[in-house]
Amino acid sequence: MKVLIINGSPRVNGNTSVAVNEMVKVFNEEDIETDVVMIGNKAIRGCIACGSCYKNGKCVFDDAVNELAKKFEEADGLVVASPVYYASANATTIACLDRLFYSTGFDKRMKVGASVVVARRGGCSSTFDELNKYFTICGMPVASSQYWNSVHGREKGEANKDLEGLQTLRALARNMTFLMKKYCFR
């Protein structure tokens, strides 16, 4: 089994990475292969609804999104992790997801999705809702935890101090593993 993890942060080893790494530890314990891809520091433009993806089977903009599309198709689960800057996922994450979900024609039903949000303090709930909509519109089961999938921290490494948030992400990874084993038929 394989999970694709999209880290939307532009900050290498920042708080979003702390959150993602907490999940990776659990996936490793469960023998789930992980592929973590950082996109926040890449030039990813938004969808222009040109429809070329319907004709060509891929997005007209040949960047990280087309590379992610192949990985997404092969994965049993998708984790999308984003920092929260202005009460929503950052622009690069949304541009990536808009194009990734719009341009890929493969059946996403029964691939398990999970969103993770990282903020100094506020905006987590609205971002959590925003990211989960990508999964629900495609019929993907959404993994849950014992609380909203969020971690708090502003300065680099502060997320390590949010013990409840990190526990929530460990539970999320365990629940996601359970769902993938139930729903994915490879």
Side-chain angles (χ1 to χ4, degrees), residues 53-54 57-59 65-73 78 96-108 111 138 140:
C53 53
Y54 290 125
K58 65 179 187 172
C59 184
V65 174
N66 286 334
E67 295 167 22
L68 285 170
K70 295 172 192 164
K71 294 178 179 201
F72 183 20
E73 186 171 14
L78 175 65
C96 177
L97 294 177
D98 282 353
R99 288 181 41 223
L100 180 64
F101 278 80
Y102 189 78
S103 69
T104 51
F106 61 85
D107 188 1
K108 296 166 190 68
K111 289 183 182 283
C138 294
M140 294 172 63

Side-chain angles (χ1 to χ4, degrees), residues 12-148:
V12 176
N13 298 320
N15 289 319
T16 306
S17 291
V18 168
V20 163
N21 291 338
E22 198 68 18
M23 293 184 73
V24 168
K25 290 177 201 172
V26 173
F27 288 134
N28 288 340
E29 290 169 6
E30 297 286 341
D31 293 322
I32 303 292
E33 182 181 339
T34 57
D35 185 2
V36 180
V37 180
M38 282 195 70
I39 61 159
N41 53 8
K42 299 192 183 328
I44 298 175
R45 62 177 298 162
C47 180
I48 60 171
C50 66
S52 291
C53 53
Y54 290 125
K55 291 182 248 173
N56 303 327
K58 65 179 187 172
C59 184
V60 68
F61 301 120
D62 196 21
D63 59 15
V65 174
N66 286 334
E67 295 167 22
L68 285 170
K70 295 172 192 164
K71 294 178 179 201
F72 183 20
E73 186 171 14
E74 295 171 1
D76 300 296
L78 175 65
V79 174
V80 177
S82 178
V84 178
Y85 299 144
Y86 295 100
S88 69
N90 67 357
T92 304
T93 301
I94 295 303
C96 177
L97 294 177
D98 282 353
R99 288 181 41 223
L100 180 64
F101 278 80
Y102 189 78
S103 69
T104 51
F106 61 85
D107 188 1
K108 296 166 190 68
R109 290 175 297 164
M110 300 305 119
K111 289 183 182 283
V112 179
S115 61
V116 173
V117 296
V118 180
R120 178 187 70 83
R121 195 158 189 76
C124 288
S125 294
S126 58
T127 305
F128 180 66
D129 291 341
E130 176 184 31
L131 295 176
N132 283 335
K133 289 175 182 156
Y134 287 94
F135 308 135
T136 60
I137 199 167
C138 294
M140 294 172 63
V142 179
S144 63
S145 188
Q146 78 252 10
Y147 199 66
W148 289 280

